[in-house]
């Protein structure tokens, strides 16, 4: 059982139902979607203190995609300078801190 405390938020039924349907269609829970969105919000607001970070993946435009570079960290400006848009597709993701592992019932 999870140790995360329950939270209460107000969301109109139409938005909740649409979000729930889309999350289920993608094999996710709405809780996972909301956590990811909150993490993204925290990272996008430099005034907020956050334990979350951003990780980049660069894929060459004109070469074999097996040359993709993953796990790139640092300021966006520095990463973009190393992987210029003329030659690289750049993707980002939010990375959360580690938490205690537990076994889940299958």
């Amino acid at each position: 059982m999870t140790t995360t405390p329950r939270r209460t938020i107000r969301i109109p039924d139409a938005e909740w139902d649409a979000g729930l349907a889309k999350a289920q269609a993608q094999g996710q829970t709405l809780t996972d979607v909301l956590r990811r969105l909150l993490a993204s919000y925290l990272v996008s607001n430099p005034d907020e203190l956050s334990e979350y970070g951003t990780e980049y993946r660069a894929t060459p435009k004109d070469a074999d995609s097996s040359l993709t570079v993953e796990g790139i960290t640092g300021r966006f400006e520095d990463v973009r300078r190393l992987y210029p848009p003329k030659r690289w597709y750049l993707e980002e993701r939010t990375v959360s801190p580690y938490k205690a592992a537990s076994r889940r019932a299958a």
Side-chain angles (χ1 to χ4, degrees):
M1 180 147 238
T2 183
T3 59
T4 304
R6 289 182 176 264
R7 306 289 184 208
T8 302
I9 59 173
R10 294 177 186 251
I11 299 176
D13 287 342
E15 292 175 11
W16 184 266
D17 294 342
L20 185 60
K22 184 171 182 177
Q24 288 175 341
Q26 295 178 349
Q28 302 178 61
T29 66
L30 192 50
T31 298
D32 291 337
V33 172
L34 293 172
R35 282 182 178 164
R36 190 170 56 252
L37 289 171
L38 180 58
S40 175
Y41 172 76
L42 291 172
V43 170
S44 68
N45 283 313
D47 296 335
E48 296 287 331
L49 294 176
S50 173
E51 295 179 32
Y52 294 85
T54 302
E55 189 174 275
Y56 300 94
R57 172 171 60 189
T59 305
K61 289 185 175 182
D62 299 330
D64 183 2
S65 64
S66 68
L67 300 175
T68 296
V69 181
E70 295 184 350
I72 305 164
T73 58
R75 293 180 341 132
F76 174 79
E77 296 79 14
D78 298 333
V79 173
R80 185 38 95 191
R81 191 174 61 250
L82 292 171
Y83 300 94
K86 182 177 181 181
R87 298 200 167 128
W88 297 89
Y89 294 111
L90 192 60
E91 299 170 283
E92 68 179 36
R93 70 177 181 171
T94 302
V95 181
S96 63
Y98 288 99
K99 62 181 182 178
S102 63
R103 292 190 178 263
R104 295 183 185 194

